[in-house]
């Protein structure tokens, strides 16, 4: 096991209640044996006065500990509090019952299910001794004296299922000597000293003596001698083999305990190693037709979502190899997963990594989420592969705005969709609270520094407590960054006090905005501080949507709790008047942010309509942030699926936006390398790129342009598909094009798109009907992805982060967008100089650009050329680890349309079900 799984060791706990001398001796022998063979063995002691509840709680803790594979419980013969032995014995998890005493293990043994249970150690040791005599058990006459649950009863079952003819004798047996005299194999465990006489034993019989008895012996220093249940001296003259007492069965019992513990550990590894899933899939109840076409059937999505009741989420967690203590339940249909699973599976191989992206979309989207879910359903429920989807949590803004939710659609959804689209487990709320705490801290600090002296500031920042001043840990960190190596507040000089208390934030340099998770155009610019209590300290600021917060980007790009704490501390919120960056650590708020985010860092587990697993974690927009779900979710999923499985994640908007950032930012920080790019296209969007009318609402598909073939227009629009295929291939990864088919698409249209995609360099191109058919409609896509994952690839980043900031921006603009060049407006040029001076010039670039065009102008479709990309401003997300240039008039706070989605959303007061979500 150590060779295959370095660092892994079986774990054994001996839970002892009371402190008997003979028990202590026996336990010490077990602990010594465990240490000799490499088992982590622990002796857990409870006092003799322990109650039954205390014993049961201790057992429960061990049951839930994945590092423990064996548990034995030793109870006192005369406990102070009455303890139900049967209840305590059966409280041990059967898979950890290495003593083999629970009713489940005993029942399996009684039924002959020997390969799927733990056999009690003493009978198992007896059988091993019998085997080593060379005597065949099958067909022999066996006699067992004693019927205890520990020795006699299981010994009878074990001999029986090894094909002996077995008689069990006990205190009521008539003519015990006659029964013994017929035994070819005799096992004695009656607990009576030398009760079996030598003359009873059949000539040549195998005799196993399990007895341990003390009889008076004046020749011994303690006045006692240890003997068995068989008179050894007389019996060995007749027996072909007889075990001595002591030194016979006892050591074998210990050996079998060790063997059971190792076997338990092996079973644990087999059950929980990545890739070994025993999963049940949900059968879809397809209705045909689902609706006229996907975009006119949006009100069906929530109805379809409810047509397949989800599995209990704890069942799904077990099916994919998660342990019970690695899962935190949030109701019956969603759960958070502990990061400890990463350490447990660190020695396991990763699965195949697939990213789903798309052509330049319409405002309604082209079905990347639907395709992600459909592909995973196809690979899991139809191709019998381990498949995990990793998607972003949707923002409330689009859910109530124009685009709707992001759970997928039709028969390729994450369910329950209302749970998915509304609140989930509160991660976005945590981000909103943390972000706004920073904003409040900034303005409060500016206000207090402007209205107080150095002395007053110091008195309040380091208040007297019990007559003494003491720095907090975060303040000591600030002192170290200032080069002040002092820990006693009373020893600071006046100059050091000034440096410590004064951040001296330039209000004009504050880049940190307040956020809320609602589209609200009237918060794009506002004035704060107008109350008289703020004494005239006003400034102009704005709100961003919550998912644009740097804290969201940090969540998506972090690799551990420690890393998140470090990233949150590095977030730059402003610049001092002397030009130094001001961080959340300087504000003293980074520790509090980590506390607010401590649950949000754990990925959320949900499922698709067909019962395949989904991680929903982090939700940054792709046009104003990096647009990808979390690294942590991807890493956990890759371990869980195993080397032959697939993890499918989605990058927001088109390949020029989310995919470019997936490669250049997410993969750079995660160290993961994707095997396949799936590029989603629709006939609808390609016709738009060919010169058709812009898609602005769901009535577009009723126009003649939407329902007629018009292959010429479609072929012209495929220029955008060709460009996005080339963009994906620029990173050296095979591309599979998925044409998301609508009911109005003709075969000629779909075939044309596939043919042109292949001619553009795609590894393969298939059309899919997963919206209407679920996973069955994406089987061809799944097979194409499987083949592409085996194809050669040569992954590479688009640029070297050590290049100057402007050069990195120019490379993205020219190679991905097709721009002739970039133009930095004065504010952007100033930021280039500032961030370079502050040491942030080597960060990757995260372009904030419209997703509706390859250019900065959302009205320019197809593949625009001959344009200069204007960079209005550049902001630094130092904690997340990138710089984001603002291209053109890109806004970080969306607005509501004339008719938002919320017109259709309501709650049925009788059923308490949500209506109108899509």
């Amino acid at each position: 096991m150590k060779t295959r799984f370095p660092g892994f060791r079986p774990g054994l706990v001996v839970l002892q209640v009371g402190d008997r001398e003979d028990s202590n001796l026996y336990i010490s022998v077990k602990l010594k044996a465990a240490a000799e063979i490499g088992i982590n063995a622990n002796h857990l002691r409870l006092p003799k006065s322990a109650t039954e509840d205390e014993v049961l709680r201790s057992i429960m803790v061990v049951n839930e500990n994945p590092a423990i594979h064996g548990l034995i419980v030793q109870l006192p013969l005369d406990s102070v509090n009455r303890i139900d032995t049967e209840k305590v014995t059966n409280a041990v998890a059967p898979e950890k019952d290495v003593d083999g005493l629970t009713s489940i293990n005993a029942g399996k043994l009684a039924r002959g299910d020997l390969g799927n249970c733990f056999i009690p150690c003493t009978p198992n040791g007896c059988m091993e001794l019998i085997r080593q005599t060379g005597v065949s058990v099958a067909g022999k006459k066996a006699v067992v004296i004693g019927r205890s649950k520990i020795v006699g009863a299981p010994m009878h079952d074990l001999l029986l299922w090894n094909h002996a003819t077995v008689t069990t004798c006990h205190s009521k047996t008539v003519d015990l000597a006659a029964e013994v005299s017929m035994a070819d194999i005799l096992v004695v465990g009656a607990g009576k000293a030398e009760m079996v006489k030598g003359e009873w034993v059949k000539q040549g019989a195998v005799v196993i003596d399990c007895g341990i008895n003390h009889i008076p012996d004046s020749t011994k220093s303690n006045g006692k001698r240890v003997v068995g249940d068989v008179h050894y001296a007389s019996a060995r003259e007749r027996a072909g083999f007889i075990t001595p007492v002591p030194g016979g069965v006892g050591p074998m019992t210990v050996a079998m305990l060790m063997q059971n513990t190792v076997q338990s550990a092996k079973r644990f590894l087999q059950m929980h190693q990545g890739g070994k899933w025993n999963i049940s899939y949900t059968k879809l109840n397809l209705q045909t037709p689902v609706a006229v076409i996907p975009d006119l059937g949006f009100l069906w999505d929530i109805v379809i979502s409810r047509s397949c009741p989800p599995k209990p989420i704890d069942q799904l967690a077990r099916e994919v190899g998660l342990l019970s203590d690695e899962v935190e339940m949030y109701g019956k249909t969603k759960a958070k997963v502990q990061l400890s699973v990463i350490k447990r599976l660190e020695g396991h191989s990763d699965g195949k990594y697939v990213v789903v992206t798309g052509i330049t979309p319409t405002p309604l989207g082209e079905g990347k989420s639907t395709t992600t879910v459909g592909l995973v359903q196809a690979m899991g429920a139809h191709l019998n592969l381990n498949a995990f989807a990793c998607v972003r949590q949707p923002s409330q803004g689009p859910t109530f705005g124009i685009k709707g939710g992001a759970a997928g659609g039709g028969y390729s959804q994450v369910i329950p969709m209302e749970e998915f689209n509304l609140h989930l487990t509160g991660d976005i709320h945590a981000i909103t609270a943390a972000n706004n705490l920073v904003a409040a801290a900034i303005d409060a600090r500016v206000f207090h520094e402007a209205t107080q002296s150095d002395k007053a500031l110091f008195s309040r920042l380091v208040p007297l407590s019990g007559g003494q001043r003491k720095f907090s840990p975060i303040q000591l960190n600030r002192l170290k960054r200032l080069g002040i190596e002092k820990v006693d507040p009373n020893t600071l000089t006046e100059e050091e006090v000034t440096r410590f208390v004064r951040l001296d934030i330039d209000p004009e340099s504050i880049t940190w905005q307040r956020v809320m998770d609602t589209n609200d155009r009237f918060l794009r610019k506002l004035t704060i501080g107008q109350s008289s209590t703020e004494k005239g300290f006003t400034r102009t600021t704005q709100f961003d949507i919550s998912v644009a917060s740097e804290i969201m980007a940090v969540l998506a790009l972090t690799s551990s709790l420690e890393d998140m704490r470090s990233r949150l501390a590095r977030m730059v919120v402003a610049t001092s008047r002397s030009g130094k960056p001001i961080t959340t650590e300087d504000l003293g708020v980074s520790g509090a942010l980590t506390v607010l985010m401590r649950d949000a860092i754990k990925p959320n587990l949900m499922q698709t309509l067909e019962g395949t697993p989904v991680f929903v974690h982090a939700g940054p927009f792709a046009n104003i942030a990096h647009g990808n779900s979390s690294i942590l979710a991807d890493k956990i999923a890759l371990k869980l699926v195993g080397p032959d499985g697939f993890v499918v994640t989605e990058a927001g908007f088109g390949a020029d936006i989310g995919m470019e950032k997936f490669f250049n930012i997410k993969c750079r920080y995660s160290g993961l390398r994707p095997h396949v790019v799936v590029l989603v296209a629709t006939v609808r969007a390609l016709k738009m790129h060919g010169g058709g009318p812009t898609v602005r609402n769901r009535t577009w598909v009723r126009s003649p342009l939407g329902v007629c073939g018009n292959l010429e227009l479609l072929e012209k629009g495929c220029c955008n598909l060709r460009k996005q295929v080339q963009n994906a291939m620029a990173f050296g990864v095979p591309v599979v094009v998925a044409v998301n088919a609508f009911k109005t698409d003709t075969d000629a249209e779909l075939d044309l798109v596939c043919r042109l995609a292949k001619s553009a360099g795609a590894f393969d191109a298939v059309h899919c009907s997963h919206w209407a058919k679920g996973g069955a409609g994406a089987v061809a896509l799944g097979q194409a992805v499987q083949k592409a994952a085996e194809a050669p690839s040569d992954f590479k980043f688009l640029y070297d982060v050590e290049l100057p900031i402007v050069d990195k921006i120019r490379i993205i603009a020219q190679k991905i967008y097709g721009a002739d060049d970039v133009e930095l407006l004065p504010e952007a040029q100033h930021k280039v100089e500032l961030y370079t001076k502050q040491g942030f010039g080597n960060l990757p670039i995260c372009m904030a650009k419209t997703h509706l065009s390859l250019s900065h102008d959302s009205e320019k479709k197809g593949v625009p050329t001959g344009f200069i990309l204007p960079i209005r401003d550049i902001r630094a997300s130092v904690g997340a680890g990138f710089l984001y240039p603002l291209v053109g008039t890109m806004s970080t706070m969306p607005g509501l349309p004339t008719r938002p989605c919320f017109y259709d959303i309501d709650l049925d007061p009788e059923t308490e079900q949500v209506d109108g979500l899509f």
Side-chain angles (χ1 to χ4, degrees):
M1 277 192 286
K2 288 179 181 178
T3 302
R4 290 185 60 202
F5 304 101
F8 176 82
R9 295 183 72 181
L12 172 68
V13 166
V14 180
L15 174 58
Q16 180 186 15
V17 181
D19 193 25
R20 283 174 52 197
E21 183 179 345
D22 55 343
S23 292
N24 290 338
L25 177 62
Y26 190 34
I27 290 170
S28 68
V29 171
K30 295 175 181 177
L31 297 178
K32 181 181 178 183
E36 286 178 3
I37 66 170
I39 291 176
N40 281 332
N42 293 293
H43 186 187
L44 180 59
R45 298 172 182 267
L46 292 179
K48 189 176 181 179
S49 59
T51 65
E52 181 177 282
D53 284 345
E54 288 171 336
V55 176
L56 292 173
R57 279 197 296 271
S58 297
I59 292 172
M60 187 63 65
V61 170
V62 176
N63 283 346
E64 294 292 321
N65 188 344
I68 304 301
H69 311 101
L71 168 61
I72 61 175
V73 181
Q74 295 204 217
L75 299 174
L77 297 175
D78 53 345
S79 60
V80 174
N81 297 295
R82 186 175 179 276
I83 295 177
D84 185 332
T85 303
E86 190 73 10
K87 185 176 181 180
V88 167
T89 299
N90 284 307
V92 177
E95 66 272 15
K96 298 187 178 187
D97 173 31
V98 289
D99 255 345
L101 301 179
T102 62
S103 296
I104 289 177
N105 280 317
K108 288 182 177 180
L109 174 59
R111 290 182 0 181
D113 195 2
L114 305 188
N116 191 30
C117 70
F118 286 116
I119 299 169
C121 300
T122 297
N124 207 10
C126 292
M127 280 301 300
E128 185 62 29
L129 288 169
I130 294 169
R131 289 189 193 101
Q132 291 187 19
T133 66
V135 173
S136 174
V137 176
K140 295 295 191 295
K141 170 74 174 179
V143 172
V144 178
I145 301 178
R147 52 184 173 180
S148 73
K149 295 177 181 179
I150 297 175
V151 180
M155 193 70 237
H156 172 279
D157 295 334
L158 201 52
L159 286 163
L160 179 67
W161 292 112
N162 278 275
H163 312 297
T165 301
V166 188
T167 300
T168 297
C169 299
H170 43 76
S171 59
K172 304 297 183 182
T173 298
V174 177
D175 199 355
L176 180 61
E179 296 288 350
V180 170
S181 67
M182 294 186 290
D184 301 309
I185 299 171
L186 175 65
V187 181
V188 187
K192 293 184 178 180
E194 299 181 330
M195 66 172 290
V196 175
K197 310 305 178 185
E199 58 267 23
W200 297 359
V201 176
K202 183 179 180 179
Q203 192 71 37
V206 173
V207 179
I208 308 295
D209 188 352
C210 302
I212 296 287
N213 307 285
H214 297 87
I215 62 174
D217 188 339
S218 59
T219 66
K220 300 294 182 181
S221 59
N222 63 353
K224 296 178 180 179
R225 178 164 57 94
V226 177
V227 297
D229 291 353
V230 180
H231 191 277
Y232 182 79
S234 58
R236 70 177 177 178
E237 294 179 3
R238 298 176 61 81
F241 172 86
I242 184 170
T243 55
V245 178
V249 173
M252 288 303 296
T253 299
V254 175
M256 293 302 104
L257 174 64
M258 299 302 113
Q259 179 173 283
N260 280 354
T261 303
V262 172
Q263 181 61 39
S264 177
K266 287 181 179 178
R267 290 175 183 172
F268 173 87
L269 288 173
Q270 290 169 356
M271 183 178 296
H272 296 102
Q273 64 179 325
K276 292 293 185 181
W277 288 5
N278 181 20
I279 186 170
S280 61
Y281 296 109
T282 306
K283 184 175 176 59
L284 295 178
N285 180 24
L286 296 175
Q287 296 184 27
T288 306
V290 181
V292 179
I293 54 174
D295 282 302
L296 291 182
F298 61 86
L299 289 178
W300 276 84
D301 282 353
I302 196 162
V303 177
I304 295 170
S305 170
R306 292 173 183 149
S307 69
C308 295
K311 294 181 287 189
I313 201 66
D314 58 335
Q315 174 188 332
L316 178 63
R318 290 192 301 272
E319 288 176 342
V320 301
L322 290 166
L323 306 180
S324 58
D325 69 331
E326 293 169 343
V327 180
E328 296 177 8
M329 305 296 294
Y330 278 67
K332 298 178 180 179
T333 57
K334 56 187 186 288
K336 280 196 166 292
V337 174
Q338 297 273 8
L339 302 189
S340 59
V341 67
I342 296 176
K343 182 170 179 59
R344 176 171 67 83
L345 297 177
E346 64 183 349
H348 297 263
S349 299
D350 286 347
K352 303 293 193 302
Y353 196 27
V354 180
V355 59
V356 176
T357 184
I359 61 171
T360 304
T362 69
L364 305 179
E366 306 318 302
K368 290 191 310 300
S369 298
T370 306
T371 301
T372 299
V373 175
L375 174 57
V376 166
Q377 290 183 159
M379 298 185 113
H382 300 272
L383 297 176
N384 296 315
L385 298 166
N386 291 348
F388 221 120
C390 292
V391 300
R392 290 173 293 162
Q393 178 183 355
S395 164
Q396 178 180 297
T399 300
F400 291 105
I402 186 172
K403 192 172 181 289
Y411 286 99
S412 294
Q413 295 187 53
V414 180
I415 59 171
M417 69 168 295
E418 56 267 52
E419 298 282 352
F420 177 89
N421 287 311
L422 302 174
H423 306 299
L424 196 58
T425 55
D427 293 351
I428 293 180
H429 299 316
I431 289 165
T432 302
N435 184 99
N436 293 341
L437 179 61
V438 176
I442 295 168
D443 288 310
R445 188 59 176 260
V446 171
F447 173 78
H448 290 308
E449 286 190 24
T451 57
Q452 296 180 51
S453 66
D454 292 353
K455 183 178 180 180
L457 282 169
F458 188 77
S459 295
R460 289 176 171 85
L461 288 170
V462 194
L464 281 171
S465 178
Q468 292 185 328
R469 298 187 190 276
K470 185 179 180 180
F471 291 122
S472 68
I474 204 165
Q475 289 175 328
L476 289 172
N477 290 341
R478 172 162 168 73
L479 288 169
K480 289 179 181 178
R481 289 196 305 277
L482 293 172
I484 303 172
E485 298 293 335
K486 295 180 179 179
V487 295
D488 184 353
N490 298 312
T491 62
L492 266 63
T493 66
E494 287 187 10
E495 184 268 340
E496 288 171 339
V497 167
T498 299
R499 291 170 58 204
F500 172 72
V501 301
R502 295 282 171 188
L503 298 181
D504 199 25
I505 294 172
D506 178 0
E508 296 298 318
S509 74
I510 296 173
T511 55
W512 195 267
Q513 315 295 351
R514 288 167 173 80
V515 300
M516 65 184 302
D517 197 36
T518 302
N519 291 0
D520 192 342
R521 64 179 67 247
F522 286 92
L523 294 179
R524 290 170 177 170
K525 187 175 182 180
L526 66 156
T527 303
I528 60 172
Q530 296 193 47
S531 171
S532 60
T533 55
E534 274 53 71
K535 303 179 181 179
F537 289 95
T538 63
R539 69 179 181 91
T540 301
T541 185
Q542 69 183 57
F543 270 74
D544 293 340
I545 195 158
S546 292
V547 292
S549 169
E550 183 177 353
I551 297 176
M552 175 63 87
V554 166
L555 176 65
L557 294 174
T558 195
S559 59
S560 66
L561 190 59
E562 182 181 14
D563 179 53
M564 184 177 73
R565 170 67 175 81
S566 176
R567 287 176 178 270
L568 291 172
R570 293 198 304 268
M571 294 189 303
V572 174
V573 300
T575 302
S576 71
R577 288 184 171 86
S578 62
K580 296 179 180 178
I582 304 299
T583 68
T584 56
E585 187 84 349
D586 293 321
L587 285 167
V589 73
S590 53
L593 300 181
T594 309
V595 170
L596 286 171
M597 294 293 294
R598 65 175 181 168
D599 289 324
I601 195 174
K602 304 166 190 172
N604 304 294
L605 179 65
M606 295 188 76
Q607 63 191 283
T608 68
L609 277 167
E610 296 192 53
T612 56
V614 181
F615 274 141
V616 186
H617 200 216
F621 280 176
N623 53 354
I624 55 180
H626 68 84
N628 287 274
S629 58
S630 77
I631 287 173
L632 283 169
D634 290 358
K635 285 190 170 182
I636 294 173
L638 284 165
K639 294 296 184 187
L640 289 172
V641 299
D644 298 323
F646 285 79
V647 171
V648 183
T649 188
E650 176 198 350
F653 295 127
D656 57 308
I657 303 288
M659 184 201 71
E660 181 270 317
K661 297 169 183 176
F662 171 82
F663 286 130
N664 283 322
I665 298 175
K666 184 175 180 180
C667 290
R668 201 182 295 269
Y669 283 119
S670 70
L672 299 173
R673 299 293 178 262
H675 294 79
V676 184
V677 172
V678 173
L679 186 73
V680 180
T682 62
V683 169
R684 172 185 70 182
L686 291 172
K687 286 182 178 179
M688 177 191 72
H689 286 299
T694 301
V695 179
R696 299 193 185 279
N697 57 53
R698 298 178 184 274
T699 62
W700 179 89
V701 289
R702 295 193 182 99
S703 73
L705 187 62
V707 297
C708 295
N710 207 328
L711 295 180
E712 182 180 350
L713 187 70
L714 177 60
E715 184 169 0
K716 185 180 177 183
C718 281
C719 63
N720 186 271
L721 171 63
R722 186 181 309 111
K723 173 59 176 168
Q724 297 290 31
V725 169
Q726 292 168 355
N727 283 341
M729 292 175 62
F731 295 91
V733 181
V735 182
V736 174
V737 172
V739 187
N740 186 17
F742 287 19
K743 188 175 181 180
T744 50
D745 298 339
T746 66
D747 288 342
E749 289 174 327
L750 297 171
D751 292 342
L752 175 62
V753 176
C754 290
R755 178 170 59 81
L756 293 176
K758 292 176 185 177
S759 69
F763 178 88
D764 202 352
V766 296
H767 46 83
C768 317
S769 54
H770 45 274
W771 185 89
K773 299 179 181 178
V779 169
L781 176 61
Q783 292 168 335
V785 168
Q786 268 189 285
K787 293 176 183 176
E790 301 301 327
S793 63
D794 181 27
F795 176 77
K796 51 186 176 292
F797 296 118
L798 191 66
Y799 54 81
D800 184 342
V801 290
E802 297 302 327
L803 289 171
I805 295 172
V806 178
D807 289 357
K808 289 181 283 191
I809 296 173
R810 182 176 291 111
I811 288 172
I812 296 172
Q814 292 178 335
K815 292 189 176 182
I816 301 297
Y817 307 154
D820 286 350
D821 204 349
V822 296
E823 178 188 12
L824 271 66
L825 300 183
E827 182 62 26
Q829 186 61 50
H830 167 69
K831 292 293 181 59
V832 167
E833 296 167 0
L834 175 65
Y835 295 147
T836 302
K837 180 181 177 182
Q838 291 178 338
F840 306 141
N842 62 348
L843 294 176
I845 301 299
C846 181
M847 303 287 275
K849 182 187 80 72
T850 178
H851 60 290
L852 299 175
S853 172
L854 282 163
S855 74
H856 58 284
D857 184 350
S858 61
E859 298 300 318
K860 291 184 177 180
K861 306 303 179 182
V863 182
T865 58
F867 64 94
I868 305 295
L869 193 73
I871 309 300
R872 172 169 57 89
D873 192 4
I874 301 176
R875 297 179 185 173
S877 289
V878 179
F882 55 76
L883 302 176
Y884 63 104
L886 298 177
V887 179
T889 57
M890 188 68 219
S891 173
T892 51
M893 170 56 83
L896 289 172
T898 304
R899 192 189 189 284
C901 298
F902 60 64
Y903 274 83
D904 302 307
I905 298 172
D906 207 341
L907 187 73
D908 187 319
E910 292 187 7
T911 64
E912 296 186 7
Q913 288 188 334
V914 177
D915 295 326
L917 273 179
F918 68 93

